[in-house]
Amino acid sequence: MAHPDSPPALALGGIAKHYGYVKALDGVDFHVNAGEIVSLLGDNGAGKSTLLKVMSGAHAPSEGTIRIDGKLVTKYTPSVASDLGVEMVYQDLALVDTLDISTNLQLGREPLRPFPLSLFGFVDFGKMHKATRTQLDKLGVRTAPPERAVEMLSGGQRQVTAISRAAVRLFERGGGVILMDEPTAALGYEQTLMVEALIKRMAAAGFAIVLVTHNLPLCLNVSDRIVVLNRGRKVADVMRAQADHNKIVSWITGADRAEEAVA
């Protein structure tokens, strides 16, 4: 966990997002600390996907501020977010099925063979596989050999690979923020447990994690804090101990008063 006096790894202040006359987000404050898992919940159309896109730099907010490690960021784009240590794991995973695990994890940063072969772009696959094993060992990931093609992996193994890729990119920085969009969608029970365990290990390693999910058991199992949106507004921001299944459903549906739920 972060030091009590440390600024949040990622903080949004007064975020609003308008699409013409439609207000998708209305004055949302949000933050996540290093080593913390925050689940972002809400019904379809509540604004959680829009907020996640603002966090990743894919959508520019109409109003509000974005701070990384306490520093105000302007002109926030996906490339800027990545440079500052914010990585997004998309629901479609964005993996290259025909390539192996190592290449997917190192895509764009592949180690090259010694000179003069490096001049022709020859990849040092031995070095790449060794580096991948070391990186996955740090995460406690041993689901498949680094040489195995992604198209041969199960759904859970693919999801773990996509999450591991984001974590590997942040290892060099010593930490960062990982945004996850429905990481257990369409996964079975055992595969969900595999992803759940990885999320907990990454938080223990100091990563700040934002989890968008409809899976309430997953949310209750891994979250340190829970944030709920309803019609573009934040209606709950509570520690896990203050929430249970019934309360979360009441916040999502709007049955509970917002001011009573926000910590």
Side-chain angles (χ1 to χ4, degrees):
M1 291 293 287
H3 189 276
D5 296 328
S6 300
L10 171 65
L12 310 181
I15 295 295
K17 181 62 179 177
H18 307 152
Y19 297 100
Y21 293 104
V22 177
K23 186 176 287 188
L25 296 172
D26 186 5
V28 176
D29 295 325
F30 181 94
H31 74 278
V32 58
N33 299 306
E36 183 181 35
I37 303 171
V38 178
S39 286
L40 179 60
L41 308 180
D43 205 352
N44 292 332
K48 58 188 185 300
S49 293
T50 302
L51 188 62
L52 198 67
K53 290 174 182 176
V54 170
M55 293 182 205
S56 70
H59 285 186
S62 303
E63 302 172 20
T65 59
I66 300 173
R67 296 179 184 273
I68 307 293
D69 294 326
K71 298 179 181 179
L72 182 66
V73 182
T74 58
K75 297 181 180 179
Y76 191 62
T77 65
S79 61
V80 170
S82 183
D83 290 342
L84 294 174
V86 179
E87 293 288 342
M88 178 76 184
V89 180
Y90 294 96
Q91 191 170 352
D92 65 2
L93 305 185
L95 297 173
V96 183
D97 286 353
T98 55
L99 299 180
D100 60 29
I101 293 174
S102 287
T103 307
N104 270 278
L105 262 62
Q106 308 289 345
L107 202 59
R109 304 183 306 164
E110 301 91 337
L112 299 180
R113 298 284 298 275
F115 181 85
L117 295 178
S118 60
L119 295 176
F120 302 96
F122 283 93
V123 175
D124 190 335
F125 288 102
K127 184 176 181 180
M128 184 169 66
H129 294 324
K130 183 178 180 181
T132 298
R133 287 192 185 91
T134 300
Q135 293 161 342
L136 293 180
D137 282 344
K138 289 181 181 179
L139 289 172
V141 175
R142 299 176 180 85
T143 59
E147 301 86 355
R148 183 169 297 173
V150 166
E151 62 188 355
M152 298 178 64
L153 303 180
S154 68
Q157 290 173 324
R158 287 171 183 244
Q159 187 63 258
V160 166
T161 299
I163 295 172
S164 299
R165 179 179 58 187
V168 164
R169 291 174 179 175
L170 295 176
F171 266 131
E172 298 172 359
R173 302 178 55 87
V177 182
I178 299 179
L179 312 174
M180 300 186 196
D181 186 10
E182 299 288 357
T184 60
L187 296 186
Y189 176 72
E190 292 187 1
Q191 294 176 330
T192 296
L193 291 181
M194 184 192 308
V195 173
E196 180 181 310
L198 177 56
I199 291 172
K200 290 179 178 178
R201 287 197 298 271
M202 290 193 304
F207 295 108
I209 297 174
V210 179
L211 176 65
V212 168
T213 182
H214 282 95
N215 187 332
L216 293 190
L218 172 69
C219 164
L220 293 170
N221 285 342
V222 305
S223 300
D224 296 304
R225 189 157 46 87
I226 297 170
V227 174
V228 181
L229 299 182
N230 186 295
R231 298 182 182 180
R233 294 190 177 189
K234 184 171 73 172
V235 298
D237 188 344
V238 299
M239 300 304 293
R240 163 64 183 87
Q242 298 173 260
D244 58 32
H245 185 279
N246 291 336
K247 285 184 179 179
I248 292 173
V249 170
S250 71
W251 297 329
I252 290 174
T253 60
D256 205 354
R257 294 177 62 187
E259 61 268 23
E260 294 178 352
V262 179

